[in-house]
C-alpha cells in the first residue's frame, strides 16, 4: 500500500509538472488534439498507479514524449498555417446573413438541433438576428449579430468615460502579493504609503487593489472598508 | 521559447531513458544468459558441490540484476524467470540433473522471450 502511495505521489508530481509545461487552458478551450493528449496523459499515468508491477519508467517515457510532441506540434503550428490547418482544422462559416449553410453543417456533421442549441448558449434565440456564425476548431461557435441587434457600446452612446485600468490585488489575506505589485508598476513604497494612510495594518487587510491611477480599494478582514 | 526548451528537455530525457534502459536490459540479460548457458555445460561433468557453487554464483548475479531489471521490465515476465532461477538449488539437492537442465533451458527461453519483446521490430511496434 505504501508503495502505491509513493508511486501515486511521484506520478502526481510528474503530471503537475507536465501540465504546467503544456500551458493553461480550460477543457472547453482545448483543441481536439490537445484534448486527446490530456486524456492520454491521465490514462497513461493511471496504469502504473493501479498496477505496481508496471515500472513507472514506462509511463514516464510515454508521458514525456507525448507532451513534447504536443508542444512541438503547437509551436510548428504557429509557424506553419498548413500544419495548423492539418492538426486543428479550419473555422467554418455555418450562418451567413441569417441563412444556415446546410452543406457546411452536413460536412461538420452538426444537426440543426445542435446548431440551435449552440446558438442558445450564446444567448441567440432568433437565427434571423445572426449576421455570421462561425464553427471554431475547438467545437464552439462564434456569433456576430446583425448591427441592429448588437448591444450598444460606449462609443455608440457618444460618451467618453475615463479609463481607470485594471485593478491589481496587491494585498490578499494579510500578505503582499509581490507578483501583483510588480504588474501594477507601482513601487512597494507607494503601496506602503497607501496602507499607512488607510491606518489598517497589512495583516488585517483582507484585500487591497490598486488601479493605474493609484486609487486603492481596501477591505478589512472584519469587512470594514 | 521556454516551452520549446522544456519540450526538447522532455524528448531528450525520454530518448535517453529508453536508450539507457535498453542498454542496461540487454547487458544484464546477456550476462544472465551466458551464466545459465555455462551452467548447463558445467552440469554435465561436475560434482553436486561444484554445481551448487556455480548455481550460488548465478543466484547472486540474479539478485544483483533483478533489482534493476524490475524497474525496467513488466514484473510478470520477470516473476516467471525468477521462479525458474530460484528453484535451481532445490533441484540440485534432489540430484536431478535432467530436471536441472530442463529448468535452465526454461530460464534461457524466458530470457530470450524478454529480449525478443524489447527488440525494435515490426511485431513489437505494431
Amino acid at each position: 500500500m505504501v508503495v502505491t502511495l509513493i508511486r501515486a505521489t511521484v506520478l502526481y508530481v510528474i503530471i503537475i509538472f507536465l501540465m504546467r509545461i503544456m500551458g493553461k487552458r480550460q477543457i472547453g478551450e482545448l483543441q481536439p488534439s490537445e484534448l486527446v493528449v490530456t486524456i492520454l496523459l491521465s490514462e497513461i499515468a493511471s496504469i502504473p498507479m493501479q498496477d505496481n508491477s508496471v515500472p513507472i519508467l514506462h509511463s514516464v517515457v510515454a508521458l514525456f514524449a507525448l507532451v513534447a510532441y504536443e508542444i512541438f506540434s503547437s509551436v510548428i503550428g504557429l509557424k506553419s498555417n498548413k500544419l495548423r490547418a492539418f492538426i486543428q482544422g479550419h473555422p467554418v462559416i455555418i450562418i451567413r446573413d441569417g441563412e444556415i449553410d446546410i452543406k457546411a453543417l452536413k460536412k461538420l456533421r452538426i444537426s440543426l438541433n445542435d446548431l440551435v442549441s449552440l446558438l442558445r448558449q450564446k444567448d441567440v434565440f432568433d437565427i434571423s438576428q445572426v449576421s455570421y456564425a462561425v464553427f471554431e476548431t475547438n467545437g464552439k461557435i462564434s456569433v456576430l449579430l446583425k448591427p441592429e441587434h448588437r448591444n450598444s457600446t460606449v462609443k455608440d452612446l457618444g460618451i467618453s468615460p475615463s479609463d481607470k485600468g485594471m485593478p491589481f490585488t496587491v494585498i490578499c489575506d494579510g500578505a503582499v502579493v509581490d507578483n501583483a505589485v510588480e504588474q501594477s508598476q507601482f513601487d512597494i513604497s507607494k503601496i506602503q504609503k497607501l496602507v499607512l494612510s488607510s491606518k489598517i495594518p497589512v495583516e488585517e487587510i483582507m484585500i487591497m487593489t490598486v488601479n493605474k491611477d493609484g486609487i486603492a480599494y481596501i477591505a478589512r478582514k472584519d469587512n470594514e472598508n | 521559447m521556454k516551452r520549446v526548451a522544456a519540450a526538447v528537455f522532455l524528448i531528450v530525457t525520454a530518448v535517453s531513458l529508453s536508450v539507457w534502459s535498453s542498454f542496461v536490459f540487454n547487458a544484464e540479460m546477456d550476462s544472465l544468459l551466458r551464466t545459465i548457458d555455462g551452467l548447463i555445460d558445467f552440469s554435465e561433468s561436475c560434482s553436486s558441490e561444484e554445481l551448487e557453487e556455480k548455481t550460488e554464483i548465478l543466484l547472486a548475479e540474479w539478485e544483483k540484476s533483478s533489482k534493476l531489471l524490475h524497474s525496467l521490465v513488466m514484473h510478470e515476465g520477470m516473476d516467471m524467470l525468477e521462479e525458474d532461477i530460484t528453484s535451481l538449488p532445490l533441484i540440485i539437492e534432489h540430484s536431478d540433473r535432467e530436471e536441472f537442465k530442463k529448468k535452465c533451458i526454461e530460464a534461457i527461453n524466458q530470457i530470450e522471450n524478454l529480449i525478443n519483446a524489447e527488440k525494435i521490430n515490426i511485431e513489437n511496434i505494431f
Side-chain angles (χ1 to χ4, degrees):
Chain A
M1 201 71 107
V2 179
V3 172
T4 308
L5 178 70
I6 294 168
R7 285 165 76 94
T9 311
V10 170
L11 284 163
Y12 174 77
V13 171
I14 291 170
I15 284 288
I16 293 294
F17 167 68
L18 294 177
M19 295 305 279
R20 287 287 295 135
I21 290 177
M22 274 181 74
K24 287 177 196 164
R25 288 240 190 156
Q26 289 182 350
I27 291 286
E29 292 166 0
L30 293 175
Q31 294 295 331
S33 65
E34 293 170 329
L35 181 66
V36 169
V37 170
T38 310
I39 294 167
L40 273 177
L41 291 185
S42 66
E43 285 288 324
I44 293 168
S46 72
I47 297 167
M49 245 188 255
Q50 293 164 0
D51 187 353
N52 285 357
S53 69
V54 179
I56 276 188
L57 270 185
H58 283 211
S59 286
V60 170
V61 168
L63 291 170
F64 280 16
L66 276 177
V67 172
Y69 296 150
E70 176 52 36
I71 294 170
F72 286 142
S73 72
S74 62
V75 170
I76 296 168
L78 284 176
K79 296 190 191 275
S80 159
N81 286 336
K82 278 185 186 169
L83 188 82
R84 188 166 62 239
F86 175 72
I87 295 171
Q88 301 179 354
H90 293 284
V92 179
I93 297 172
I94 47 178
I95 299 177
R96 269 175 213 269
D97 289 324
E99 290 209 7
I100 299 168
D101 187 341
I102 299 291
K103 229 175 171 180
L105 282 186
K106 275 188 184 163
K107 212 171 162 188
L108 292 165
R109 277 165 283 147
I110 298 173
S111 70
L112 280 170
N113 285 339
D114 292 337
L115 173 64
V116 173
S117 161
L118 286 168
L119 285 170
R120 279 200 302 267
Q121 286 169 39
K122 285 276 177 183
D123 295 328
V124 178
F125 291 83
D126 184 352
I127 293 174
S128 67
Q129 292 180 354
V130 177
S131 178
Y132 279 92
V134 181
F135 192 79
E136 303 292 353
T137 52
N138 63 1
K140 291 188 167 180
I141 64 164
S142 304
V143 179
L144 178 69
L145 293 172
K146 287 179 179 169
E148 62 271 27
H149 298 291
R150 284 180 210 156
N151 291 334
S152 55
T153 61
V154 171
K155 195 182 172 192
D156 293 333
L157 299 171
I159 50 175
S160 49
S162 62
D163 182 10
K164 288 176 182 159
M166 192 182 91
F168 291 93
T169 307
V170 289
I171 297 177
C172 185
D173 208 12
V176 176
V177 184
D178 294 328
N179 189 32
V181 173
E182 199 181 308
Q183 284 176 343
S184 72
Q185 294 180 332
F186 279 116
D187 203 25
I188 187 75
S189 57
K190 165 86 176 164
I191 307 290
Q192 282 166 341
K193 268 183 201 165
L194 288 167
V195 173
L196 279 174
S197 64
S198 72
K199 291 174 186 162
I200 305 171
V202 173
E203 49 285 358
E204 278 184 33
I205 295 175
M206 187 170 68
I207 190 162
M208 173 178 169
T209 64
V210 283
N211 62 17
K212 71 174 185 184
D213 295 333
I215 297 169
Y217 166 81
I218 301 176
R220 215 182 177 134
K221 280 186 179 170
D222 56 4
N223 287 335
E224 277 178 40
N225 285 349
Chain B
M1 202 59 206
K2 268 186 197 169
R3 199 153 282 174
V4 178
V8 170
F9 164 76
L10 289 178
I11 201 74
V12 167
T13 311
V15 171
S16 310
L17 277 173
S18 309
V19 171
W20 169 80
S21 68
S22 142
F23 177 76
V24 168
F25 172 80
N26 284 329
E28 295 290 334
M29 285 302 191
D30 276 348
S31 166
L32 280 171
L33 208 58
R34 273 200 305 273
T35 313
I36 299 172
D37 231 5
L39 208 59
I40 295 175
D41 293 338
F42 192 70
S43 71
E44 283 166 6
S45 56
C46 69
S47 66
S48 289
E49 286 76 29
E50 283 172 327
L51 188 60
E52 226 174 286
E53 251 175 60
K54 284 278 178 188
T55 309
E56 283 304 319
I57 294 171
L58 169 68
L59 280 177
E61 193 183 331
W62 167 252
E63 276 296 313
K64 209 178 106 199
S65 329
S66 71
K67 281 177 192 156
L68 192 58
L69 288 171
H70 271 96
S71 66
L72 305 174
V73 186
M74 296 275 195
H75 295 194
E76 268 174 41
M78 295 289 292
D79 290 346
M80 285 152 82
L81 178 60
E82 186 162 33
E83 216 178 283
D84 286 338
I85 292 176
T86 50
S87 67
L88 292 176
L90 207 74
I91 297 167
I92 300 171
E93 266 179 39
H94 291 97
S95 333
D96 192 344
R97 290 289 166 104
E98 272 312 301
E99 181 63 20
F100 181 84
K101 214 170 158 183
K102 214 176 118 191
K103 274 285 170 198
C104 284
I105 290 167
E106 261 178 44
I108 286 174
N109 287 338
Q110 295 284 357
I111 292 173
E112 278 172 351
N113 285 341
L114 287 170
I115 292 173
N116 285 336
E118 291 293 320
K119 271 187 184 160
I120 305 168
N121 54 30
I122 300 288
E123 303 97 272
N124 289 336
I125 292 170
F126 295 100

